[in-house]
Amino acid sequence: MSWLMEVQWSPYAVGIGIGILSWFTWLISSKPIGCSTSFAKTAGLIEKLFRGNKVDDRPYYQEVKPGVDWQWVFVAGIIGGAAASSLLSGDFSWQWVPSVWEQNFGDNVLPRLATALAGGLLLGFGSRWAGGCTSGHGISGTMQLAVSGWISAICFFIGGIIMAQLLFTVIA
Amino acid sequence: MNIQATKKQLFWGLVFGIIFGFLLQKGGVTKYDVIIGQLLLTDFTVLKIMLSAVLTGMLGLHVMQRFGLIKLKPKAGSWGKNAIGGLIFGLGFALLGYCPGTIAGAMGNGYLDAIFAGLIGIIAGSGLFAVAYPLLKNRILTKGNYGNLTLPRLFKINEWLVILPVALIIFLILFMFERTGL
């Protein structure tokens, strides 16, 4: 079982594993692999803590009802799976600033957190605008040959490459 | 908590999520450095994983659908939705260095920028979209609508005449990555 303790597997083994996993999510749960809807459901649940059931009046939450469903526990499971993998290999570490960020922008925590927060805002907003994320559109949509999936996936990378270039070649 | 699924569904969701998280971590894509490396076009790990997952998944899913075991549900969309939303997503993707799936993996890996900034941002951004939705709904989100169109229906050809060339193209791209040492 030493393969379970390796820090990194071949990306092809991981990709084929994710592809096979998708067969089973469809066969057993009739669901595509996807993540971003759960963050919208969580946003609705949090808003409910403050505003109560009035939140259900928002047209968006009539389509995406706040609550815990298959995908929500799937996303929670990712946290556990990644923790298990990184603890088994010794790759787990509490880390504020990623090393590539540190090499370019220094080890100050605040700029990294501010950028991550801004990025998260755009990512959450954009994933709901597009109706999916790197997994729902980028993996599950493209493998179903959905036009929505291919267009979204291509635009994720176009936007990402533009911003990465801006950040690391213009600003850094 | 409003539970919207049966215990059995939740059980399988959790099991599949744990496996997915395990695979993402072993692939290295729970790390900012690997994702930003892909967007800077210096490290192709993300595309290698995605393309081999799409190749494997696409072949299996369409065979299973052919035998009536599953019914695929391609998402409806439009240019206004997928292209513009996709570009906004992309800008955030590069600033954060995680996506909605891999940020959950980054949290499991112990990355505190994911837990204390990225996660809060994604939830808040999703909530802001829910607030803005009535303004966007019947306007930009329906521009260039194509519904749940798939590539075989777009080209009006048998699905295997799309699946097999797409599989071949993905295989050739991955082969090229290896040959050029990317």
Side-chain angles (χ1 to χ4, degrees):
Chain A
M1 300 296 268
S2 65
W3 52 283
L4 288 175
M5 290 175 214
E6 281 168 26
V7 172
Q8 198 158 357
W9 291 353
S10 150
Y12 304 112
V14 170
I16 291 167
I18 292 171
I20 294 173
L21 179 67
S22 77
W23 302 350
F24 287 95
T25 64
W26 277 99
L27 262 179
I28 296 177
S29 303
S30 304
K31 298 276 188 198
I33 289 175
C35 296
S36 61
T37 309
S38 305
F39 294 89
K41 286 178 177 266
T42 306
L45 288 174
I46 292 172
E47 196 183 345
K48 275 192 171 190
L49 294 177
F50 298 97
R51 293 183 59 238
N53 287 335
K54 273 190 293 184
V55 173
D56 292 329
D57 296 340
R58 286 198 192 285
Y60 192 76
Y61 292 133
Q62 285 165 16
E63 292 174 30
V64 176
K65 296 193 164 58
V68 172
D69 65 350
W70 182 89
Q71 192 198 84
W72 202 97
V73 288
F74 179 83
V75 175
I78 295 174
I79 304 173
S85 167
S86 58
L87 288 167
L88 275 170
S89 65
D91 191 44
F92 181 93
S93 69
W94 296 114
Q95 180 199 78
W96 283 103
V97 181
S99 58
V100 169
W101 177 278
E102 190 178 330
Q103 286 154 26
N104 287 275
F105 303 103
D107 60 0
N108 193 337
V109 175
L110 279 179
R112 172 58 197 147
L113 292 190
T115 309
L117 183 68
L121 282 168
L122 287 171
L123 196 73
F125 199 83
S127 68
R128 294 299 79 218
W129 188 311
C133 63
T134 340
S135 49
H137 276 316
I139 295 179
S140 299
T142 54
M143 69 170 66
Q144 294 182 70
L145 301 173
V147 171
S148 58
W150 283 93
I151 291 176
S152 302
I154 291 167
C155 291
F156 294 161
F157 282 97
I158 293 174
I161 289 167
I162 292 171
M163 182 56 91
Q165 293 298 336
L166 265 175
L167 201 58
F168 282 84
T169 59
V170 181
I171 300 173
Chain B
M1 281 295 191
N2 180 15
I3 306 293
Q4 302 166 331
T6 63
K7 275 191 184 140
K8 186 171 165 246
Q9 282 174 313
L10 295 179
F11 168 80
W12 283 108
L14 188 66
V15 170
F16 292 139
I18 291 170
I19 297 170
F20 190 50
F22 199 93
L23 288 167
L24 291 175
Q25 207 283 328
K26 289 288 181 231
V29 290
T30 57
K31 296 181 193 328
Y32 173 91
D33 295 356
V34 173
I35 290 181
I36 213 70
Q38 178 64 70
L39 297 177
L40 290 169
L41 308 176
T42 55
D43 175 345
F44 280 74
T45 305
V46 173
L47 272 183
K48 288 176 188 174
I49 291 175
M50 286 181 73
L51 290 174
S52 42
V54 170
L55 176 62
T56 311
M58 175 180 69
L59 293 172
L61 295 187
H62 286 89
V63 168
M64 292 194 293
Q65 179 164 260
R66 183 78 184 72
F67 287 100
L69 295 171
I70 60 169
K71 179 88 184 78
L72 295 176
K73 291 177 278 195
K75 281 184 186 176
S78 67
W79 283 99
K81 216 176 151 174
N82 303 128
I84 298 177
L87 290 172
I88 298 171
F89 180 98
L91 301 177
F93 191 23
L95 288 173
L96 177 55
Y98 309 111
C99 58
T102 55
I103 197 165
M107 291 164 65
N109 216 143
Y111 301 148
L112 299 162
D113 56 340
I115 299 172
F116 291 105
L119 175 68
I120 295 167
I122 298 179
I123 294 172
S126 304
L128 283 176
F129 184 82
V131 174
Y133 184 63
L135 298 172
L136 303 168
K137 189 181 174 191
N138 295 319
R139 298 194 179 103
I140 195 155
L141 295 181
T142 55
K143 287 274 186 298
N145 187 40
Y146 37 72
N148 64 352
L149 188 65
T150 59
L151 296 177
R153 281 194 280 123
L154 173 67
F155 300 127
K156 298 189 174 63
I157 50 175
N158 182 284
E159 62 184 13
W160 291 96
L161 292 176
V162 177
I163 296 166
L164 296 175
V166 168
L168 182 68
I169 291 166
I170 291 177
F171 189 82
L172 289 174
I173 292 171
L174 295 175
F175 186 74
M176 188 199 74
F177 285 164
E178 290 309 300
R179 283 301 288 268
T180 54
L182 284 172

